[in-house]
Amino acid sequence: MSQSNTLNPQRPLLATNHFTLAFVGLALMSGITIGMNKILVTLLALHLNAESWQIGLLIGAESLSMMLMSLPAGIFISRFSARWVYGISSLGAMALYPLIGYSNSWYLAALFLFIAGICIPFRVVAMNTSWLERLPEVGTSRGGWYRGTLMLGIGLVGPLLGNLASSHFGVHGSYWITSILFAVMSFYGFTILSHTRVIDNGRSVSGGVKDMLKHLADPMVRQVCVYDGLGGMVRGFFGTFIIIIAVRQFNWSAQQGITLMVVEGATFVAVLLLLGHFVAKLGEKITYNLSHGSLITGLLFLGLSSGVVGLLIGAVLQAIGQALNHLVNISRLAHSGKNMGHVSGLFTMVGMAGGFAGATLGGFLSKGFVLQDIFLLWIPIWLAVCPGFRVFIRSIFKKQA
């Protein structure tokens, strides 16, 4: 798709510092709504006495609709601008998410989650696109600020507020609180996100999707998508089942399970916000190896530990690995010189596809495995793509030759 017809906004863009502060505020609010919804869905599943495979499908339903709509979201954002797409999709989420709290069965909740989840990728891709467009001027060392503040809401503030809200207002009332937040974000996001759009009215959505998929021919884009997709699998499984493991396998309270999620989220946020300069100095190769090594070690602790300390160590190491992985991925994409709407759509899709696979596949695997043991099953997959491990294996074969 040609970008020669890109329209410049009539009003000037926000100054860099103003944009950065306003954007991370929007990201924090977005993360809070997502984090609250994750806790509310888990509490609703426990209330409905859903089995592990049903919970996997319940969480996976939202991830599936998000994954399916990520590429079309990139097309619409390129044509109509991030601000319009974000504003309208936020209003849709405002209207749809309260319906989930009125579900009286897991499959009805899954249906509502699937429908409501259609709105989310338009919001996520719109924010990704705006951030990638301005990251070169914001600075690579701040590349993790968006995901960091988003995850501060998802992994720390959101779960705490979700737990607090549900104890005072119940699941139904808490969903109405998130609905109000979506309404606020609709107007807030419209004022700060990108105005940029591309005139290409003769191009169909399917044709635009094909153009987006062509970016996967680029080895760099393909590698970034693989790493983020696998990261999404681990995040999807951890976020879906860590509270279930705590409650049903170790007989902890739901609040203790939430604590594990909060610690993981806080670690992820701290690395993203504080280690951008460190990662920039280390370089891509070393950072990827540190990332994958930390993530794999964390999975070992999560899969083998039976006590609080071991699980906390696993959660922390896994979060460090995920954060380092993201810092390199987002920096590479921001400096790729490609259509930001397109690569943002791809990047969002693979992350959501990973989340869907982690939740649903983990749920089905629970029929044959203990839930905690499934953490160990992700390790061979990461070893297969880890560049340092592949170099290590090749060196062993060379010595034996």
Side-chain angles (χ1 to χ4, degrees):
M1 179 185 293
S2 172
Q3 298 186 59
S4 60
N5 293 324
T6 300
L7 298 181
N8 290 320
Q10 293 180 349
R11 292 186 301 158
L13 294 171
L14 291 176
T16 301
N17 289 337
H18 186 187
F19 167 79
T20 303
L21 292 175
F23 189 92
V24 296
L26 178 63
L28 177 61
M29 194 178 299
S30 298
I32 288 172
T33 58
I34 296 171
M36 287 184 67
N37 284 327
K38 283 183 176 295
I39 292 299
L40 295 176
V41 169
T42 302
L43 295 177
L44 180 62
L46 290 171
H47 173 71
L48 296 174
N49 294 317
E51 298 181 23
S52 295
W53 68 271
Q54 293 171 337
I55 295 173
L57 285 177
L58 179 63
I59 305 298
E62 183 181 37
S63 298
L64 177 61
S65 62
M66 292 164 65
M67 175 186 70
L68 293 175
M69 297 307 297
S70 294
L71 294 184
I75 301 299
F76 282 106
I77 286 164
S78 291
R79 292 183 183 178
F80 303 110
S81 83
R83 54 167 13 203
W84 277 103
V85 172
Y86 183 89
I88 293 171
S89 59
S90 294
L91 290 176
M94 173 200 73
L96 291 169
Y97 267 86
L99 298 176
I100 301 167
Y102 293 95
S103 305
N104 55 14
S105 64
W106 73 269
Y107 50 84
L108 186 59
L111 176 62
F112 286 143
L113 275 167
F114 180 86
I115 297 171
I118 292 173
C119 301
I120 301 304
F122 289 93
R123 301 177 72 253
V124 173
V125 178
M127 292 188 70
N128 279 342
T129 300
S130 295
W131 185 244
L132 287 172
E133 281 183 359
R134 302 199 63 175
L135 185 57
E137 68 181 79
V138 170
T140 303
S141 63
R142 297 178 177 179
W145 282 25
Y146 165 40
R147 183 65 71 89
T149 50
L150 183 71
M151 289 305 301
L152 177 62
I154 294 175
L156 184 62
V157 183
L160 291 175
L161 290 180
N163 187 44
L164 181 65
S166 63
S167 64
H168 285 83
F169 306 106
V171 174
H172 298 167
S174 300
Y175 269 113
W176 282 107
I177 294 175
T178 64
S179 178
I180 294 171
L181 290 175
F182 278 123
V184 173
M185 287 186 290
S186 174
F187 296 100
Y188 182 26
F190 187 83
T191 64
I192 66 173
L193 296 183
S194 172
H195 310 211
T196 306
R197 64 191 185 95
V198 175
I199 299 298
D200 194 15
N201 294 328
R203 191 71 164 156
S204 66
V205 173
S206 61
V209 169
K210 290 179 182 178
D211 285 342
M212 295 176 71
L213 292 175
K214 288 179 181 177
H215 289 298
L216 291 175
D218 185 317
M220 183 277 292
V221 175
R222 189 167 59 246
Q223 185 181 57
V224 165
C225 286
V226 168
Y227 289 163
D228 202 67
L230 291 178
M233 289 178 66
V234 176
R235 289 194 303 271
F237 181 77
F238 182 92
T240 302
F241 292 108
I242 193 63
I243 296 176
I244 307 300
I245 291 171
V247 172
R248 293 184 176 174
Q249 185 169 331
F250 298 117
N251 295 316
W252 295 359
S253 67
Q255 284 68 33
Q256 288 173 304
I258 291 172
T259 299
L260 277 177
M261 183 179 286
V262 168
V263 168
E264 193 267 353
T267 304
F268 190 87
V269 169
V271 174
L272 289 178
L273 295 181
L274 302 176
L275 296 187
H277 286 288
F278 176 71
V279 168
K281 291 180 180 179
L282 281 182
E284 296 172 2
K285 184 177 179 180
I286 295 176
T287 304
Y288 270 142
N289 286 330
L290 283 175
S291 161
H292 299 168
S294 178
L295 203 155
I296 290 167
T297 305
L299 289 171
L300 279 171
F301 273 95
L302 287 169
L304 297 175
S305 300
S306 57
V308 176
V309 174
L311 289 170
L312 285 172
I313 292 173
V316 167
L317 290 175
Q318 185 269 147
I320 291 172
Q322 294 273 13
L324 293 176
N325 184 54
H326 175 75
L327 284 171
V328 183
N329 289 341
I330 200 72
S331 176
R332 296 177 78 185
L333 287 180
H335 293 88
S336 66
K338 299 186 183 298
N339 183 312
M340 289 298 108
H342 283 189
V343 296
S344 178
L346 279 173
F347 190 61
T348 303
M349 183 199 69
V350 296
M352 291 178 175
F356 169 72
T360 55
L361 184 59
F364 283 112
L365 287 173
S366 68
K367 290 187 174 183
F369 296 89
V370 176
L371 266 177
Q372 186 188 13
D373 293 345
I374 298 174
F375 281 116
L376 302 176
L377 300 182
W378 305 128
I379 294 176
I381 301 174
W382 272 105
L383 288 175
V385 302
C386 178
F389 182 74
R390 293 202 303 270
V391 170
F392 174 72
I393 293 298
R394 282 198 296 268
S395 66
I396 291 178
F397 279 104
K398 285 181 180 179
K399 290 179 181 179
Q400 293 179 346

